[in-house]
Amino acid sequence: MADLDQLLTKKVADRYLKREVLGEGTYGVVFKAIDTKTGQVVAIKKIRLGKQKEGVNFTALREIKLLKELKDPNIIELIDCFPHKGNLHLVFEFMETDLEAVIRDRNIVLSPTDIKSYIQMTLKGLAVCHKKWVLHRDMKPNNLLIGPRGQLKLADFGLARIFGSPDRRFTHQVFARWYRAPELLFGAKQYGPGVDVWAAACIFAELLLRRPFLQGASDIDQLGKIFAAFGTPKPSQWPDMIYLPDYVEYQFVPGQTFRTLFPMASDDALDLLSKMFAYDPKARISAQQALEHRYFSSGPPPTEPALLPRPPPKKDSMDSKPSEFGPTVLSPNSRKTRRVMPEKGNDHGIGNERSGPAPMSLDFSVYDNRPPARPTINSADRTHLKRKLDLEFQIPEDDEYP
Amino acid sequence: MATNFWTSTHLKELLEQEEVDVVHNLDKQRGITLDDFKLIKLQMTNYIARLAQNVKVRQRVVATAVTYMRRVYTKRSMTEYDPRLLAPSCLYLAAKSEESTVQARLLVFYIKKIYPDERYRCEIKEILEMEMKILEALNYYLVVFHPYRSLPQLLQDAGMSDAIQLTWGIVNDTYRMDLILIHPPYLIGLACIYVASVLNEKDNTAWFEDLRVDMNVVKNIAMEILDFYDKQRTISDERVNAAMHKLGLRK
C-alpha cells in the first residue's frame, strides 16, 4: 500500500485506523476503526473525562472491570483499552446491529426457531454473568448486539454490578422501565439475578409480539400494565410483596392467560415464559434453568445464528477501496444511533409512548427511520441513580470490621 | 469465597514469590535492595491505610488499593512511579472500582494534613494522570478478591467466633506483605485463622484436617505471617527513611 505513510498519521495509538462515528454512547463517542494488527473491524468508545475532574468515568471503569472478567461468545468482547491524548479508549468487537433493530424491521419475519435462537443466546450470556455473580441490570433489545455472523452478545455493562453477598443493598433505579421487574418497581433494594430474567422475559415477549410488551408510561403505570397482563399477584403467589418499601395495594384485576397474551407461541414457549414472568423472584426460573427448559430441547431446534434474519447492514465505507480512506467523514447518521442518550429525539415526552402500536396492517417500513420513543433510564432517574451509585456504597457493610 | 474466583483474572494473575521479589533495574541503579523494596511497599501500605481512615472508606477498599500498588511494582519501577504519588492514586482508583468513590481533592486535602512533608504533596491532576497509568500497568484487571468476606463464617464454623477481631486484624496485616499477589485469598484467610488459633492456644487441628485444602500451604503462609511479625519489631523509621532517600524523587 503506497499511501500507508499517510494512513499512519490517522491512526489512533499507532494501531487503530479511525473510521466513521457510530454514535454517541452513554459516556462518549463511539467510532468504527480497523485494527491494523489483525485487520479486524472494531468499535472504539472514547471515554469522555468527567466534568468534575474526577478522572476515568465511573461507569466506564465498571464496564472495564466486569468485561475483563467476562469472556464468553454471548458477551461483548472488550479487546483492548488504551489511553490516547489523555482520554481512555475501549476497543470492542464490532457489532453490526442490535436486537431492537431486528424486532422493529417490518421486512423481517421471525420464525419460531429464530425467536428460540435469539432468546437462547440472550439467556446463555445472562447465565454466564450470573454464574460469575454479575447482574447486568440494563437488559433491553437495544443492548443485545448482533455480530456479523448473527451471534447475539450482551453489551453495555455500565450499570452492571457484582452481587457477591446476598444481603447487599442496591439501588432499584435500574433497567429501562419497560423491562423492570415488579420487585424493582416496588422499590426492592435487595434483589438478585431474577431482575435480569424478568427483563429477558420481556425481550422474549417482544420477539413474539414484535412490539415492546409492557409499555408503562410511569412506574405506577408499569405495574398496572404488568398486573393487567398477568393479574394482580395474590399473597400466596408472592408472600414477600407486601414488605417491599414502595408497596401499594393495587385493585385486583384477574389478568389474562398466557395463551391469550401470546396466541402464536408454542405450549413450551408459554410454559417457559410463565416461569420467567413468575412474580415472586424466589420462584422465578434462573437463566441456567431456563436454558435447560424443554422449550430449547424439544421441537424444532433454534436457528443457526448465521442464518438468522437481520436488517441489511448499514451501507458503510467498509466496501470502499483503501485509497478512499482519506479523512473520516462524520456523516450524519440517518438511522438511529446505538444507545443514544435519554430523551434525544424524544421531545414529545412520555405521552408519546402511550400511543402504543399502530394497527398491524400499516406498512411501517417507510417509518423505519423514526423509531417509537423508548424510555431508557430517564434523566431524573439518572441523576438520582448516579448519586445512589456513587454514594450509597460508602456505607460500611458486610466487609466492615465486625 | 465467591465461586467466580476460580475463573477470575485474580487467580490467573497470581505470581510466584520469586517473580514478586524482583527489584526493577532502574531502582537497583539507585541502590535499592530487596529489603528496601519491601520496606517502601510496607511504608506505602501504612500510608494508604492512614489516608483511608481519614477519607473513611471500607477496609475492602484499602485492601484493593494495596493490592493494586503491589501489583504495579511487579511491573513498574519506583523510580518512574513515585510511591508517594502511586499510593494515594491507588486508593483513588480502588475506591472507584469498589463502588465507594472518593473525590481526588479530598485525598489531596488529607495528604497535606497528615503529611506536612513537602515530598508527599500532590495535585489532583497528578493523581488523575497516575490513575490512567495504574490502569495500564494493571492491564485493566480490577477485580480483586479478599479473605474478609468468608472470615466470619469460617470462624463460626471453627468455633472461634470470639477471635474475629484478632483474625480480622491479622488479615489486615497480611497486606503489609505480598501474600495477596501470591496466594489465593481463601488460603490467606485460613492461614490467619491458623495464626489466631496458635495465638489463642486453641487446638483446631481436627477442623483444619476436615477442610479439603493443602495444609502445608496454609502452614507456610502462617509461618510467613509470624516471621513478618518478628521482623516488624526491627523496622525503624530511620531504615524506612534511608530507603526512601535512595529513591530521592520529587523536589
Side-chain angles (χ1 to χ4, degrees), chain B residues 2-241:
Chain B
T3 50
N4 53 353
F5 171 73
W6 303 104
T7 54
S8 66
T9 55
H10 183 153
L11 179 67
K12 270 179 272 176
E13 294 279 296
L14 288 180
L15 298 166
E16 297 293 327
Q17 184 79 52
E18 300 78 55
E19 296 172 284
V20 174
D21 288 344
V22 179
V23 181
H24 200 283
N25 274 335
L26 283 172
D27 297 340
K28 261 190 211 155
Q29 285 164 17
R30 293 185 184 236
I32 299 282
T33 63
L34 182 58
D35 269 352
D36 293 335
F37 187 44
K38 288 184 177 175
L39 262 181
I40 295 171
K41 286 194 279 188
L42 168 62
Q43 176 77 354
M44 289 305 127
T45 305
N46 296 340
Y47 179 22
I48 290 172
R50 208 171 149 196
L51 203 49
Q53 256 178 5
N54 281 275
V55 295
K56 294 189 177 61
V57 287
R58 298 178 287 145
Q59 185 61 40
R60 186 186 175 83
V61 179
V62 178
T64 299
V66 173
T67 310
Y68 288 171
M69 184 264 295
R70 290 180 182 275
R71 278 188 186 175
V72 169
Y73 284 136
T74 61
K75 291 172 178 150
R76 304 285 198 266
S77 70
M78 291 184 161
T79 308
E80 292 164 297
Y81 289 69
D82 188 330
R84 284 161 293 212
L85 175 59
L86 182 75
S89 306
C90 282
L91 182 61
Y92 177 69
L93 178 62
K96 255 192 219 178
S97 76
E98 294 291 354
E99 312 258 352
S100 14
T101 307
V102 172
Q103 289 181 342
R105 61 170 182 84
L106 207 63
L107 285 175
V108 171
F109 172 81
Y110 279 110
I111 292 167
K112 243 183 230 168
K113 199 175 151 195
I114 56 179
Y115 285 94
D117 183 345
E118 276 282 308
R119 280 166 303 185
Y120 279 84
R121 290 273 166 91
C122 57
E123 289 171 28
I124 295 175
K125 197 172 149 254
E126 291 176 297
I127 292 182
L128 300 188
E129 278 169 13
M130 186 51 95
E131 179 190 34
M132 201 80 98
K133 287 166 125 183
I134 296 168
L135 279 170
E136 253 193 307
L138 294 175
N139 197 10
Y140 302 88
Y141 292 136
L142 297 173
V143 173
V144 182
F145 292 82
H146 300 293
Y148 295 108
R149 187 168 281 165
S150 50
L151 215 52
Q153 255 180 316
L154 285 172
L155 283 169
Q156 197 185 11
D157 194 54
M160 287 176 64
S161 286
D162 51 327
I164 185 135
Q165 302 247 358
L166 173 67
T167 317
W168 192 278
I170 298 169
V171 174
N172 286 350
D173 288 340
T174 62
Y175 288 88
R176 293 159 196 262
M177 298 166 261
D178 287 309
L179 291 175
I180 194 70
L181 303 188
I182 299 159
H183 301 287
Y186 74 98
L187 288 179
I188 300 175
L190 287 176
C192 292
I193 295 176
Y194 189 83
V195 173
S197 343
V198 173
L199 293 177
N200 275 357
E201 291 174 353
K202 184 171 163 50
D203 184 13
N204 261 333
T205 321
W207 183 76
F208 276 107
E209 274 170 5
D210 273 353
L211 300 171
R212 263 177 286 166
V213 294
D214 186 346
M215 269 317 281
N216 286 326
V217 182
V218 173
K219 281 180 189 167
N220 282 338
I221 301 172
M223 285 305 292
E224 276 189 62
I225 297 170
L226 292 170
D227 271 357
F228 170 79
Y229 281 134
D230 275 346
K231 273 196 205 139
Q232 168 89 351
R233 291 191 203 108
T234 66
I235 297 173
S236 63
D237 280 353
E238 289 82 67
R239 280 188 57 201
V240 177
N241 289 340

